[in-house]
C-alpha cells in the first residue's frame, strides 16, 4: 500500500509524495519497492532498515554486554536495558499525541556492575531535519549533560561498540552520505531454523519467554581453537542483501567509510565493515536474526538479537548478548512516554 506514497525532499526527509509535506505517520515500510537505478535508492533502503524495528512497536529488552580479548578471553560483563518508543511505523503509534513531531525515543541504562550502574543515555529523534537531542548521565559527576550527536560514534562505556553500531546503523539518516554499491547473496547468521516461541500477555505485549535458544561463543567452549568471540551455534543462510556505502557529514564523527549489508527481503541488518577516518579497515559487526511466532501463529515477527563487534587492531571484541537465559525481551511493549522526559530519565540514573 505504501508503493509511491512517499518520497524524499532535498534534505532527504520522508515526505508525502503528493503534497511534499512531512510524513508524520507511516505504517509499515516507506519504500517497499527499490529501484537500484534510483539515485536515492541507498537512502530509501536505510529508511526501510530503520522502520523494520518500528513495525513491532515499543521495545523493552535487557541484555548483557561482554568484553572479550583474543589472548585474554572473557574479561567483564555489564547488564544493560534498552527501551525504545517509536511514534511512527506501526498502528499503535496513532494512539500517542506527537505535537513535537518526534520519530523515536530511546533510553539505554546500565544496571550492573556497581561501578557503572546508573550510567544512562537518552535520545530524542525527530521526523524533520532537526538534529537528535542526546543526553547522558555520568554517575561520577552526578549530572545529566547534553551530548553532541557525534558522541554516538564513541565507544559505549569503554566497549568496542558505539551506540550508532546498534542494528548496524542507528544514527540519523540525513546526516550521512549514502551510496548503493550492489545487490548480492550472502551467508548471514540466524538463531535457528525454526521460529522462537512468543506469547501475548494480558497487556498485549509480545513476550519471548524463557524457551528460546541460547547463543554460545568461543570462550564458553574449552575445546574451541578459534577466536573467543566467534558465535558457535547460529545457522548460516544464503539471503539477498544490499551493500551500502555510508560516510558521516560530521567532521567530528569517529568513523570514516562504513559498508552496511541490509537484507533485500526483510530490511534487517546483517553485517557492517567500519574504516577509520584515514580509510583503514577497523571494525567488523555481525547481527544475528531471530524469528518469533505465537502458538496460534497470529503473531509473527523478526528481530535482530546478538551483535558481535570486533576491533581488528586491538584483537578485541564486544558481544551484545540477548539470546541468553537471563535476559528479558518484550516487543510491542507498553511503555510510559514520561520516562523519556528529562525528569523521567533521572529515575534510570544512579
Amino acid at each position: 500500500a505504501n508503493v509511491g506514497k512517499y518520497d524524499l525532499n532535498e534534505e532527504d526527509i520522508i515526505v508525502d509524495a503528493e503534497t511534499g509535506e512531512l510524513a508524520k505517520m507511516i505504517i509499515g515500510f516507506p519504500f517497499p519497492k527499490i529501484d537500484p537505478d534510483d539515485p536515492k535508492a541507498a537512502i530509501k533502503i536505510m529508511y526501510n532498515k530503520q522502520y523494520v524495528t518500528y513495525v513491532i512497536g515499543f521495545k523493552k529488552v535487557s541484555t548483557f554486554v561482554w568484553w572479550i580479548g583474543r589472548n585474554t578471553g572473557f574479561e567483564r560483563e555489564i547488564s544493560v536495558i534498552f527501551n525504545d518508543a517509536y511514534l511512527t511505523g506501526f498502528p499503535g503509534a496513532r494512539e500517542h499525541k506527537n505535537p513535537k513531531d518526534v520519530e523515536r525515543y530511546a533510553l539505554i541504562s546500565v544496571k550492573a556492575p556497581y561501578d557503572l550502574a546508573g550510567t544512562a543515555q537518552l535520545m530524542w529523534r525527530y521526523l524533520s531535519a532537526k538534529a537528535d537531542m542526546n543526553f547522558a548521565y555520568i554517575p561520577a559527576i552526578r549530572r545529566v549533560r547534553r551530548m553532541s550527536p557525534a558522541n554516538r560514534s564513541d565507544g559505549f562505556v569503554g566497549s568496542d561498540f558505539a551506540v550508532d553500531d546498534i542494528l548496524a546503523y542507528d544514527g540519523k539518516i540525513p546526516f550521512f552520505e549514502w551510496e548503493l554499491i550492489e545487490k548480492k547473496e550472502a551467508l548471514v547468521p540466524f538463531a535457528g531454523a525454526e521460529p522462537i516461541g512468543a506469547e501475548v500477555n494480558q497487556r498485549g505485549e509480545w513476550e519471548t519467554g524463557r524457551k528460546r535458544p541460547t547463543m554460545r561463543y568461543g570462550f564458553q567452549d574449552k575445546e574451541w581453537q578459534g577466536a573467543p568471540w566467534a558465535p558457535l551455534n547460529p545457522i548460516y543462510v544464503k539471503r539477498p542483501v544490499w551493500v551500502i556505502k555510508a560516510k558521516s557529514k560530521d567532521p567530528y564523527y569517529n568513523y570514516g567509510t562504513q559498508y552496511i549489508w541490509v537484507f533485500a527481503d526483510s530490511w534487517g541488518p546483517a553485517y557492517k565493515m567500519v574504516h577509520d577516518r584515514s580509510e583503514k579497515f577497523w571494525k567488523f559487526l555481525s547481527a544475528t536474526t531471530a524469528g518469533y511466532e505465537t502458538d496460534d501463529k497470529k503473531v509473527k515477527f523478526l528481530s535482530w538479537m546478538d551483535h558481535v563487534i570486533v576491533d581488528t587492531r586491538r584483537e578485541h571484541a564486544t558481544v551484545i548478548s540477548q539470546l541468553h537465559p537471563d535476559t528479558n525481551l518484550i516487543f510491542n511493549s507498553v511503555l510510559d512516554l514520561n520516562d523519556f522526559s528529562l525528569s523521567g530519565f533521572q529515575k534510570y540514573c544512579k
Side-chain angles (χ1 to χ4, degrees):
N2 285 345
V3 174
K5 189 174 181 179
Y6 301 106
D7 202 352
L8 300 172
N9 64 13
E10 66 279 359
E11 296 177 303
D12 292 331
I13 296 297
I14 302 177
V15 295
D16 185 284
E18 291 187 1
T19 66
E21 296 180 354
L22 182 68
K24 296 186 178 183
M25 181 57 64
I26 299 170
I27 306 301
F29 301 110
F31 305 105
K33 291 186 178 180
I34 298 296
D35 177 2
D37 294 325
D38 182 349
K40 299 281 190 178
I43 304 171
K44 292 177 179 179
I45 292 168
M46 292 304 297
Y47 271 118
N48 285 342
K49 189 205 76 70
Q50 186 167 286
Y51 273 74
V52 79
T53 60
Y54 298 179
V55 297
I56 55 176
F58 293 179
K59 180 172 63 180
K60 178 170 58 179
V61 303
S62 64
T63 186
F64 295 102
V65 180
W66 296 330
W67 276 248
I68 305 170
R70 168 77 70 178
N71 299 316
T72 54
F74 175 80
E75 296 173 356
R76 75 178 308 191
E77 172 185 279
I78 65 172
S79 175
V80 182
I81 62 167
F82 291 86
N83 288 352
D84 285 305
Y86 317 113
L87 298 188
T88 185
F90 73 108
R94 296 191 181 106
E95 300 173 6
H96 301 279
K97 295 180 180 179
N98 191 13
K100 296 182 179 180
D101 295 333
V102 171
E103 177 181 328
R104 171 190 172 199
Y105 295 114
L107 191 155
I108 305 173
S109 178
V110 179
K111 309 308 292 182
Y114 183 80
D115 62 324
L116 291 175
T119 303
Q121 291 189 16
L122 172 67
M123 181 193 73
W124 302 339
R125 176 163 293 162
Y126 299 92
L127 291 163
S128 66
K130 183 177 179 180
D132 293 347
M133 296 281 282
N134 293 281
F135 305 91
Y137 178 82
I138 310 299
I141 62 174
R142 298 184 180 181
R143 293 289 187 277
V144 173
R145 65 180 181 89
R146 186 173 172 185
M147 300 165 54
S148 162
N151 287 123
R152 291 176 60 87
S153 63
D154 294 339
F156 179 70
V157 293
S159 71
D160 300 294
F161 92 90
V163 175
D164 270 359
D165 289 329
I166 298 170
L167 298 169
Y169 176 70
D170 199 40
K172 192 170 178 71
I173 290 172
F175 289 5
F176 270 62
E177 297 172 351
W178 303 95
E179 179 185 349
L180 178 58
I181 302 300
E182 62 179 332
K183 185 179 182 180
K184 63 191 296 183
E185 289 188 322
L187 288 173
V188 294
F190 280 74
E194 300 297 328
I196 301 171
E199 298 177 359
V200 180
N201 65 23
Q202 293 180 346
R203 288 153 57 99
E205 299 172 319
W206 305 340
E207 296 188 32
T208 63
R210 299 299 177 184
K211 294 181 180 180
R212 58 175 180 260
T214 299
M215 291 297 296
R216 298 181 65 251
Y217 294 88
F219 74 90
Q220 296 170 321
D221 185 343
K222 294 181 180 179
E223 303 300 321
W224 178 250
Q225 298 298 311
W229 52 76
L232 301 183
N233 59 329
I235 63 170
Y236 287 85
V237 183
K238 186 186 291 186
R239 302 304 306 158
V241 297
W242 298 104
V243 180
I244 295 172
K245 180 180 178 181
K247 191 167 185 179
S248 176
K249 299 175 183 178
D250 187 338
Y252 297 102
Y253 202 81
N254 270 346
Y255 293 167
T257 300
Q258 304 176 60
Y259 292 89
I260 300 168
W261 296 27
V262 178
F263 283 86
D265 49 7
S266 61
W267 309 112
Y271 299 116
K272 178 167 81 169
M273 275 64 77
V274 178
H275 296 72
D276 64 17
R277 295 183 59 81
S278 65
E279 299 303 340
K280 293 181 179 179
F281 180 61
W282 182 11
K283 294 181 181 181
F284 168 79
L285 177 145
S286 173
T288 300
T289 303
Y292 293 90
E293 183 179 82
T294 53
D295 289 342
D296 60 12
K297 302 187 184 302
K298 291 183 177 180
V299 176
K300 303 178 182 182
F301 62 97
L302 293 174
S303 187
W304 285 267
M305 308 307 295
D306 285 29
H307 290 41
V308 180
I309 304 97
V310 181
D311 186 323
T312 60
R313 297 176 182 173
R314 298 174 56 216
E315 293 198 312
H316 196 275
T318 298
V319 171
I320 300 175
S321 175
Q322 292 184 311
L323 291 172
H324 186 285
D326 298 324
T327 55
N328 187 32
L329 311 176
I330 301 178
F331 304 93
N332 194 39
S333 59
V334 177
L335 297 176
D336 185 351
L337 293 186
N338 290 320
D339 288 354
F340 299 95
S341 66
L342 284 177
S343 57
F345 174 55
Q346 292 180 1
K347 74 181 184 181
Y348 289 87
C349 306
K350 185 175 178 180

